[in-house]
Amino acid sequence: MKNIPIPFGSESLSCAVPEQTDILAMAGSTALEACQDRIADSLAEPIGTPIFRTIIRQKLDGTAEPTAVIVISDNTRPVPYTGEQGILWPLVDQMISEGVKPKNITVLVATGTHRALTTTETKKMIDARVLDLGIAVINHDCKDEESLTYLGTTVRGTEVYIDRVYLEADIKILTGLVESHFMAGASGGRKSICPGLIGEDTTFIFHGPKMLADPNSDDLVLEGNPCHEEALEVAQKAGADFIVNVVLNNDLDVTGVFSGDLQKAHEAAVASVKKHVGVPYEKEYDVVITHGGFVGINHYQVAKAGSAAKKVVKPGGYVIIAADNSDGTNPVGAITYRTTLQLMKLIGASNFIKLICSDDWSFIPEQWQVQKWAELFEKIPLDHFYYYSPQFTSAHYELCPGIDGSRFSEGETVDLKVASFIAGSIADAAKRLGKGIDELEICYLTDGPYGIPVKGML
């Protein structure tokens, strides 16, 4: 047997797996030294725009009291907004030093279709110095039509509604994390606006089933990716004066800061990500073990891990996922996600995809994530999927596809439960395959939803 580390929320657990298990990992990258200095350098040497201070001075020349909005990600992304690697305070500090008043600055949480952050969550995420200045922190609400402004339609016919607070600000700044994304190619950049600040109806084409069925709507693909192209067009309609995006490693340390133009700085960040997140593999496996990572606060987010596992599992093989679904609202996800997930479980993956691509189907928000799960379950049967979350009850397992992993979990502590879940799932898969455990071809995706398997990659 060999031990593997299982990232579980903010913790790391240790589990034993059979000796022949292949450990598949991305190359990774080294944390920046003197991170605050590197952030300052990025603001002073941006990509494709004047330096940040120059932009602020130009805005001040146009109006005595310009308003500013800084868009931040919600708590499903580990963007460093506080601490020694925090990117929020340097922006606020430079604006104030140039003459922008704190009362005219708003921090806007780009929730997209996700729920609003609680006050406790906000305080945990944001640099205390920002809150001490009395700077307003508000959540975008995609369902509040009164808070949205119509900007016309895209070439694909998407009706664009954007958060009014953002559009009316004199200074528009986007922040975020660039990592691989299983629909849009990569997160960050334009995604702070689309889907971060759009109206719910705007998601209907952006995350529509036919667009996501395009083979280019995949990890690390920008060119020809309709999801990326749509998001970029929407973001360009809304406009942005400056972006600050970071790239992180497995330890959630900043490895790169990319500031400047909405498109150019984002493309530079994506190029950096591509060098580090590819996971080389040569074959497909009977059993694939993975985890939900930091992002896996609910089952909805863990679809990213399922999408990565799909690339390396044999047709008809088995996938095992452990996840810390810590979202206190619901460990599965929102009601629209739970509803469509249950539908997919009832009618099967292929029938679900056919249904949502039908002209008679009425689009349901968050069906896109279920569609990505369905792509996994077109490759393996629903009952070849083992899932365990310590936050799940029997009712949650009833909603979700796959085998209730709690039947294998034993022990008093989470680490023991996860370890026994993985061991029990492997043993069950071996029995169903008619093989001994030592005969199984097994791999462990160390990086969970973050590493992207690339066959033959050197």
Side-chain angles (χ1 to χ4, degrees):
M1 301 293 281
K2 66 174 68 169
N3 288 324
I4 57 172
I6 303 278
F8 213 69
S10 59
E11 303 295 328
S12 181
L13 311 179
S14 179
C15 297
V17 294
E19 188 64 34
Q20 77 271 21
T21 302
D22 287 342
I23 309 300
L24 304 184
M26 60 190 190
S29 50
T30 304
L32 292 180
E33 295 183 2
C35 190
Q36 283 300 306
D37 291 341
R38 302 291 77 78
I39 294 169
D41 292 343
S42 184
L43 299 183
E45 300 175 5
I47 301 168
T49 65
I51 67 174
F52 185 61
R53 287 187 183 275
T54 298
I55 291 174
I56 302 305
R57 290 168 186 166
Q58 290 171 345
K59 297 292 182 178
L60 284 162
D61 286 342
T63 177
E65 290 199 22
T67 57
V69 62
I70 304 174
V71 179
I72 68 170
S73 300
D74 67 11
N75 63 343
T76 64
R77 302 293 185 272
V79 187
Y81 290 120
T82 188
E84 295 180 358
Q85 302 184 72
I87 62 173
L88 184 57
W89 176 250
L91 292 167
V92 172
D93 187 41
Q94 287 198 18
M95 282 196 291
I96 292 175
S97 68
E98 291 297 333
V100 180
K101 297 179 180 179
K103 69 175 183 178
N104 293 330
I105 301 173
T106 299
V107 173
L108 177 59
V109 185
T111 54
T113 59
H114 301 170
R115 66 171 178 82
L117 296 184
T118 65
T119 300
T120 299
E121 290 169 335
T122 299
K123 289 181 177 179
K124 183 178 180 180
M125 279 181 56
I126 294 179
D127 195 303
R129 291 171 292 182
V130 175
L131 298 175
D132 290 343
L133 287 171
I135 290 173
V137 180
I138 62 175
N139 289 282
H140 168 68
D141 186 348
C142 70
K143 297 181 180 181
D144 181 9
E145 295 182 0
E146 295 299 317
S147 69
L148 304 170
T149 297
Y150 178 64
L151 292 183
T153 60
T154 67
V155 295
R156 288 185 172 85
T158 299
E159 292 190 328
V160 180
Y161 289 87
I162 300 291
D163 191 289
R164 180 173 291 117
V165 171
Y166 179 78
L167 291 177
E168 292 180 351
D170 298 306
I171 305 168
K172 300 178 178 67
I173 304 165
L174 306 177
T175 68
L177 167 66
V178 178
E179 59 184 355
S180 60
H181 191 279
F182 66 162
M183 300 175 191
S187 62
R190 71 288 186 249
K191 283 189 92 261
S192 292
I193 296 175
C194 181
L197 300 179
I198 62 178
E200 186 177 53
D201 290 350
T202 304
T203 65
F204 290 7
I205 294 181
F206 170 64
H207 274 342
K210 294 179 181 178
M211 183 177 292
L212 297 190
D214 190 301
N216 284 329
S217 295
D218 199 6
D219 288 292
L220 301 178
V221 178
L222 294 186
E223 186 175 354
N225 183 330
C227 187
H228 160 68
E229 292 171 350
E230 190 75 354
L232 182 59
E233 184 180 353
V234 170
Q236 288 173 332
K237 282 182 177 291
D241 295 302
F242 201 81
I243 76 168
V244 180
N245 278 188
V246 296
V247 175
L248 307 179
N249 63 15
N250 287 358
D251 297 321
L252 304 183
D253 289 322
V254 174
T255 63
V257 185
F258 300 84
S259 301
D261 178 73
L262 168 67
Q263 184 172 358
K264 294 178 181 178
H266 179 249
E267 288 176 349
V270 174
S272 175
V273 168
K274 284 183 177 179
K275 297 177 183 178
H276 304 296
V277 303
V279 176
Y281 76 100
E282 297 297 334
K283 64 180 182 179
E284 294 179 332
Y285 294 83
D286 296 320
V287 177
V288 177
I289 306 166
T290 188
H291 58 84
F294 178 92
V295 74
I297 64 171
N298 51 33
H299 189 277
Y300 171 93
Q301 292 292 348
V302 179
K304 298 176 174 68
S307 185
K310 178 195 69 176
K311 299 177 186 295
V312 294
V313 69
K314 289 179 179 179
Y318 295 78
V319 172
I320 300 169
I321 298 182
D324 183 31
N325 298 144
S326 58
D327 190 335
T329 302
N330 193 295
V332 178
I335 183 63
T336 50
Y337 174 71
R338 300 197 302 269
T339 300
T340 47
L341 188 68
Q342 175 80 140
L343 177 62
M344 188 268 288
K345 179 179 179 179
L346 290 171
I347 68 175
S350 295
N351 287 334
F352 177 79
I353 291 176
K354 289 178 184 178
L355 178 62
I356 64 175
C357 288
S358 165
D359 292 337
D360 295 327
W361 173 257
S362 295
F363 185 94
I364 298 176
E366 301 192 330
Q367 68 178 45
W368 51 80
Q369 212 83 335
V370 181
Q371 183 176 353
K372 285 299 181 180
W373 277 119
E375 291 175 2
L376 168 63
F377 296 126
E378 284 191 307
K379 192 172 185 182
I380 68 171
L382 289 168
D383 66 350
H384 285 205
F385 177 62
Y386 301 85
Y387 191 81
Y388 175 69
S389 166
Q391 292 86 6
F392 265 36
T393 65
S394 58
H396 295 131
Y397 285 115
E398 282 292 324
L399 276 174
C400 297
I403 292 176
D404 175 353
S406 67
R407 70 171 66 173
F408 302 114
S409 63
E410 298 177 352
E412 297 299 321
T413 60
V414 171
D415 57 338
L416 291 175
K417 289 178 182 294
V418 171
S420 60
F421 157 67
I422 290 175
S425 298
I426 292 171
D428 191 64
K431 180 180 179 181
R432 295 168 70 186
L433 284 167
K435 295 182 177 183
I437 290 177
D438 60 349
E439 298 176 289
L440 294 176
E441 293 183 304
I442 308 173
C443 76
Y444 172 53
L445 296 176
T446 302
D447 306 295
Y450 308 115
I452 307 305
V454 180
K455 191 168 187 179
M457 174 182 171
L458 297 177

